[in-house]
Amino acid sequence: MKIPVGIPVFVAAAGTDPRFAKMVSRYLLSAGVWLIIASAVGLLEAFRLVNPELIADVEWLTFGRLRPVHTMTALFGWSSLALVGLAFYVVAKSAWLPMNEPLKKAEYFFANLALLLWNVGVGLGIVVMCGGDINSGREYREYPWYAMAPIFAAVGICGVIFYRLIARRRVEGIYISCWFVLAASFWVAIVVLMGYQTWWKVGLTDRIIDGYYIHNAVGMWFTPLAVGLTYYALPKLLNKPIYSYALGVLGFFAHLVFYTVIGTHHYIHTPIPAALQTTSVIFSVAMIVPVWASTGNFLMTMKGERLAISHSYSLPFIFVGTVGYGLASLQGSAESLPSVQEILHLTHYTVGHAHFAMYVFVTFLIWGCIYGLVPRMTGREPPVLLVGIHFWLALSGIAVYVVGLCAGGHVQGDSWVDGEPFMASVRKTIPYMVWRAVGGSLMMASHLLFFIALWRMRPGAFTMAFGDRS
Amino acid sequence: MVNIHTSHRLLFILPATIYLILVFVCAIWPALIQQELDQAVPKPFPNELADRGRELYRSYNCVTCHTQQIRADHRIHKEVDGVRVVPVLKADARFGQEIATQAEEYAHHEPPLMGTQRTGPDLMSVGARLPDAQWHYWHLYNPQSVSPGSIMPPHRFLFTTTRPPADQEFDFEKVHLIKGLGVPKGKELWATPDAKALVEYLISLTREGVVQAEEAGG
């Protein structure tokens, strides 16, 4: 076994345009702030499921209103901004652009404008949803249209910049990371347009669009971005090529074809046309192909690198994220089966799965990419002990959370099938709600540590001294 | 030859085109078909107060914890006098309904509040189970007073404990006090117009027409 010796981060960072480092850093710090807000709100909601009297008399902070505040801020504030910020770096690097001027002056302006629009959208969304203007009943698009509009514009701007960066690459081939980033920017624009169109809003028609929207918002945006970034970060950090490039291409196209059509699996056993339900279940199972194409690819790349992973503060996050991707998606495929839904659909199990996917998979990969790539851009490393504590707090927190909710979901679903009074299913799940709050507290603590680490990595004296702005 | 590995134009156009085709097949096309079916269903009688209540139900985002769907067990094919009956999934049988929700029931809902989580009980037919407005006021003010062990958050901000001015009294509704409600001693409890609208909506959820259709068919 060998520890791969890459170049030290400050050498890698030298010559980076300070404007670039600052811009990416702004994206990540914004994302970090939204992460803390989203998890604080989520934690309050978790405690409320144990004690409903908690801050119960404030109409603006009632349980129903804060729930979409938690989900939407985590999705469109934290995950999206962090992924897009990192994507700027990954696209610029994998397009072999000169780091002393990766973006043109106008592109910096628009990238910063996109960040501003994005933050305005998320902030406005929080305020108006607390005030009661919720696009209720339409999950993951609870923002009223005027809060989503700035975010949509920002996605468009970033998509155009990604395309321009790829177009002026200094290498013939386009690396697979760029495939995922470019495609995801287009896909999510269509997803948002479909979510806010006005032609199919009434009756079951709306539910058909809803099924499509729920799963495409997750699967055609967060998943391809997180996977795409990992295709760059993992080989880079291990200082070796990816196990199989062809598997990446297979994963890309299988993802596109299979993931798009699985949305209706949120509405099994409902009056939505049976053909759609069946199609969604079949392709949900078929998702095993793209998921394990990427997961397997990453795991094979990591094979024999145990020492390197254990000596790195970023690779453990990527390892957990990779395993999380494979397992959460397998869980999702299993959950789509009608006979499984009979017991588990509508229970807390679904929430456990959602966190498994968005946290163990997406968020851990984001953290891995941030800890691995940001020092190579700013020349500043985070305090290693802090990152270690962050890792273990987050991992133990989410483990308690996911195991607790999945077990609680089983208890809840069994209670329904057994025909017990409904209140029995509520009473029986209370202990699991306590575990959820405990897990949530650990995760919240880890996010505060993460923010400190992120702050310590921000561009500073080094970037200004050794940065190069041509 | 143009190659997706080296042409950024093709790399953009190909996945975009495939995606748009798939979106048409799995969302737009079914939506267009469904739209015709939905529009053929006659509109129900308007109930302004209940409609306002529905908007409040959405504003408080009750769908976070309460579904409005009685799921179907498609494995069982049952026909009564040539009319196909859709039996209810075992887990959903508790809500006193014998047939699963039909597409027609949602035809004019914007949007149908089917929900994806059932932390609290299903409300598709809550008006049939609990037709008493007073019960709903007690439950909204303090859920545990009528449903011991409930983890529903109280909605006390929908009530006032001081008597409203005489000229507005009609818009409010007096709530009878029961044990365990937690109203301060010597105070009265009045449901605000918002609470009245919300409860009117809940009581209107009876599935009445559906049950009748079933009886006519069977």
Side-chain angles (χ1 to χ4, degrees), chain B residues 113-124:
Chain B
L113 299 167
M114 287 164 91
T116 50
Q117 216 194 342
R118 194 177 274 164
T119 309
D122 186 88
L123 300 183
M124 194 72 203

Side-chain angles (χ1 to χ4, degrees), chain B residues 70 83 85-86 97-106 124-125 206-218:
Chain B
I70 308 289
V83 178
V85 176
V86 187
Q97 298 293 305
E98 285 178 10
I99 39 175
T101 30
Q102 313 287 296
E104 299 83 48
E105 292 178 65
Y106 299 116
M124 194 72 203
S125 58
T206 55
R207 298 189 79 208
E208 211 173 329
V210 180
V211 178
Q212 280 169 3
E214 165 62 8
E215 277 163 3

